[in-house]
Amino acid sequence: MEHYSGRLKEKMLFASFTGLLYVLAGSIQLFFSLCTMMDLCNMSYFKSDIADLLFAPSDLIGSLILLLIGSIFIYGMLDLRNGSNEGIAYIYVGILISLLFAAVYVLVMTGNWMDSYLLNDPEIKGWDFVNDLRPAIYLGALPLCGYLIWKKEFGNMNK
């Protein structure tokens, strides 16, 4: 890794760490989803501890999205490590997709809050902020930092 520039090493480290976190969170959420869907085992103990700690509800589609985002980051890191400069595009796309899904989940959370407090919907009367918190929201903080650090480089890719 001596022949990589400092900025490229930084992006590779960012992509590997972020990809690992997304794959780990997606795998945990996928495990809980499959166990809940197939009623494989009594997950009440694990759900109360691990799932509540990670805010990982049994959401099959959400877990697949997390796995997809993580694989994009990891593929970009592997591509950069192999000497192809196209890997940087995968890292940038991973950043943008993760921010997009984090924004979607924040909008869902905002809509549920509006239903609960502004419209006084009796079905959602006991809504709490923690009920709608998803891994894509808190994991989106790391790609947001990456975007803020490298935002000038997003526009310079074609020049």
Side-chain angles (χ1 to χ4, degrees), residues 55-67:
F55 304 106
S58 61
D59 179 17
L60 182 65
I61 302 299
S63 65
L64 294 176
I65 289 170
L66 291 176
L67 289 171

Side-chain angles (χ1 to χ4, degrees), residues 32-44:
F32 288 138
S33 300
L34 292 177
C35 286
T36 302
M37 284 174 38
M38 297 179 185
D39 200 23
L40 294 177
C41 55
N42 187 4
M43 296 297 296
S44 60

